[in-house]
Amino acid sequence: MNEKTKERFRELVDSTELTKTECARQIGISYTTFNKIYSYGKLTRIRIAFLVANYFNISLDYLAGHTDDKEIKSHRH
């Protein structure tokens, strides 16, 4: 992903009262993976991006920096 992903992820994590280790555990990812996102904005697997977005109840577009709208939009017709 990118610098925006790192910024957004840090904001989300810092808004919780959890330690980084606790947050990683709650999201369901290893601390190593968590740290790669927190330090570098690296979301190399879509599954990890989905876990993060699902945990924080945000859209993938927001996490990736494509929009400033956190809301998940339904595209079903």
Side-chain angles (χ1 to χ4, degrees):
M1 299 265 169
N2 57 33
E3 190 69 24
K4 195 67 155 178
T5 300
K6 178 176 82 172
E7 291 173 22
R8 299 244 163 117
F9 185 70
R10 284 182 174 202
E11 285 176 17
L12 293 163
V13 170
D14 294 346
S15 72
T16 72
E17 294 185 9
L18 301 172
T19 66
K20 292 177 184 177
T21 302
E22 291 169 328
C23 194
R25 189 176 321 118
Q26 289 285 325
I27 293 170
I29 59 177
S30 71
Y31 182 77
T32 300
T33 298
F34 177 95
N35 197 48
K36 286 179 183 176
I37 304 167
Y38 195 88
S39 298
Y40 309 107
K42 290 187 178 184
L43 277 168
T44 56
R45 296 177 190 252
I46 193 69
R47 182 183 71 79
I48 302 300
F50 278 116
L51 287 172
V52 170
N54 186 53
Y55 178 78
F56 288 108
N57 196 32
I58 58 168
S59 71
L60 288 172
D61 284 334
Y62 175 80
L63 184 61
H66 296 288
T67 182
D68 290 331
D69 186 1
K70 292 181 184 180
E71 187 176 334
I72 300 168
K73 307 277 192 237
S74 175
H75 294 291
R76 294 181 186 177
H77 298 284

